[in-house]
Amino acid sequence: MKTKIRHFHIPIFIPDFGCPFRCIFCNQKTITSTNTHPSASDIQSQIEQWLTTIPTVDCVVEIAFFGGNFTGIPAEIQQTYLTAAAPFLESNRVQSIRISTRPDAISEEILLQLKKYGVRSIELGAQSLNNKVLKAAQRGHTAEDVIQASSLILKHGFTLGLQMMVGLPSDNAETALKTAQKIIEIGAHETRIYPLLVIKNTDLETQFLQGKYIPLSLEEAINQTAPIYELFEKHKITILKVGLHPSEGFNSGEELIAGPYHPNFRELVLSRIWKNRFKKIPADKDSTLKITVNPSEINHAIGFGGENKKELEISFISVQFIQDVHVQKGSYIIDTL
């Protein structure tokens, strides 16, 4: 049997560092639960600490600089951070580096420098590919900037990630889906999907309190994200994350003002995808329904908290879920008795 290789990220957060603009939704210090910028020794200590928790065989380890505009940081500080990571690459304890940055902070020169230091993956905070939405979010760049930067990144052989959001001001389900379609057309390998949240000490909080912005409900965010998720899966785009990482400030409500936050947002989206699939099954209150799915998708098919099974049970005597490794992922077989 072929050994499965596991992938691990070592996150290094540099909140707001290098960002020339303050987007209406952004407070990276809250999102990342980090208030300071790391020194070179901090970075090395964090990497060493993370490596003690990661297996030493059958895995790929990547250092990931998140939370700021990495290529907008002064060049000498970029080099300091990347140099701090270099010994771990040289010893092969870490295999690559990932950075997150803005689309208007990419150039041929920058990419050549990143490649020299072992960076292999670059994520751009696109958020939307609609210029009206980008302007409303005060992003400070255009959709054309995303396209141009992505082209350069792909030209130089990096893995390209494009992050997007749902629920932005001036956005809707249709334009968000179009953003996803454009991300695919651009040629991104990876993506992250975030529902917009109103976080404390942001311009969006001011708009919300003034009644100028109404966030999506959790139900609306799930409904908008589900078809986007399916579209990315259909086109083999790796979905790295759906929803913001749970934090103490979010879970307590201390930092979160409003919006569709749920610590299990991805599971809710996957549950909704399966719920939508099961709508095609005709009701038969005189029969027992048997649904066979791939074992890897059994929990999503049954639904978060068993919601899909409970809904189906309204239309059948009973509902049984069966696992079969031969069933293709995303498909199911039904039988009624």
Side-chain angles (χ1 to χ4, degrees):
M1 181 181 294
K2 187 178 180 180
T3 302
K4 183 177 181 180
I5 303 297
R6 289 176 289 176
H7 294 257
F8 296 88
H9 288 163
I10 297 177
I12 306 295
F13 292 109
I14 50 171
D16 292 332
F17 206 2
C19 290
F21 299 95
R22 178 72 176 271
C23 304
I24 60 166
F25 52 78
C26 194
N27 183 341
Q28 284 291 341
K29 293 181 175 63
T30 293
I31 294 171
T32 63
S33 300
T34 304
N35 292 307
T36 58
H37 302 133
S39 65
S41 60
D42 290 334
I43 289 171
Q44 292 185 327
S45 296
Q46 289 179 45
I47 295 170
E48 287 285 4
Q49 186 175 359
W50 273 96
L51 284 172
T52 63
T53 70
I54 296 174
T56 56
V57 295
D58 300 330
C59 64
V60 174
V61 183
E62 186 172 61
I63 297 168
F65 289 97
F66 287 141
N69 174 26
F70 190 86
T71 55
I73 299 171
E76 62 272 17
I77 300 179
Q78 289 183 53
Q79 292 174 21
T80 297
Y81 284 177
L82 293 171
T83 300
F88 300 96
L89 291 170
E90 292 165 2
S91 63
N92 202 38
R93 296 172 71 193
V94 168
Q95 284 67 56
S96 66
I97 297 174
R98 168 184 300 266
I99 66 157
S100 176
T101 194
R102 287 174 56 91
D104 52 353
I106 291 292
S107 68
E108 295 270 3
E109 182 182 1
I110 286 170
L111 293 174
L112 290 171
Q113 185 78 349
L114 294 175
K115 184 172 284 189
K116 173 184 172 183
Y117 281 97
V119 175
R120 293 185 184 174
S121 300
I122 300 177
E123 293 187 45
L124 299 180
Q127 317 312 359
S128 174
L129 284 163
N130 179 291
N131 282 330
K132 180 181 178 182
V133 174
L134 290 171
K135 184 176 181 180
Q138 300 173 16
R139 284 290 296 168
H141 67 77
T142 66
E144 290 71 30
D145 291 326
V146 178
I147 295 168
Q148 182 177 358
S150 297
S151 178
L152 281 175
I153 290 167
L154 293 171
K155 172 187 169 184
H156 283 274
F158 292 93
T159 296
L160 171 65
L162 291 178
Q163 304 166 3
M164 68 168 291
M165 305 183 83
V166 297
L168 287 162
S170 298
D171 207 1
N172 56 47
E174 182 181 356
T175 51
L177 187 60
K178 286 181 179 179
T179 285
Q181 291 167 338
K182 288 179 181 178
I183 285 174
I184 293 164
E185 292 168 8
I186 286 170
H189 305 100
E190 304 169 335
T191 189
R192 297 175 194 263
I193 314 168
Y194 298 116
L196 180 59
L197 305 178
V198 182
I199 297 171
K200 192 174 182 179
N201 297 325
T202 61
D203 288 349
L204 193 64
E205 178 191 11
T206 302
Q207 290 191 19
F208 171 72
L209 295 175
Q210 293 174 347
K212 296 178 180 179
Y213 173 75
I214 300 174
L216 297 178
S217 67
L218 182 59
E219 184 74 6
E220 288 171 331
I222 294 169
N223 283 334
Q224 284 199 23
T225 306
I228 290 171
Y229 193 107
E230 279 199 290
L231 185 65
F232 283 139
E233 279 204 320
K234 177 182 177 182
H235 290 273
K236 310 300 181 186
I237 309 296
T238 300
I239 304 167
L240 297 171
K241 194 165 188 60
V242 184
L244 285 172
H245 184 75
S247 71
E248 185 177 337
F250 284 176
N251 290 331
S252 68
E254 182 181 345
E255 302 292 346
L256 180 64
I257 304 300
Y261 171 72
H262 194 286
N264 302 111
F265 186 74
R266 186 175 193 144
E267 284 70 26
L268 292 173
V269 169
L270 289 167
S271 178
R272 182 58 48 85
I273 289 170
W274 279 95
K275 180 179 181 179
N276 292 339
R277 289 170 181 165
F278 293 151
K279 287 178 180 179
K280 301 173 184 177
I281 301 175
D284 187 349
K285 293 189 176 182
D286 296 323
S287 299
T288 291
L289 175 66
K290 289 187 177 183
I291 302 176
T292 304
V293 299
N294 188 283
S296 66
E297 300 183 300
I298 186 70
N299 291 334
H300 304 140
I302 292 172
F304 189 82
E307 63 177 350
N308 295 343
K309 183 179 180 182
K310 291 173 185 175
E311 183 159 321
L312 287 166
E313 285 174 339
I314 296 172
S315 303
F316 295 88
I317 295 173
S318 65
V319 177
Q320 300 174 16
F321 281 85
I322 301 166
Q323 304 178 53
D324 187 338
V325 295
H326 299 102
V327 177
Q328 186 178 353
K329 289 183 180 181
S331 300
Y332 62 92
I333 299 171
I334 61 170
D335 190 18
T336 52
L337 303 175

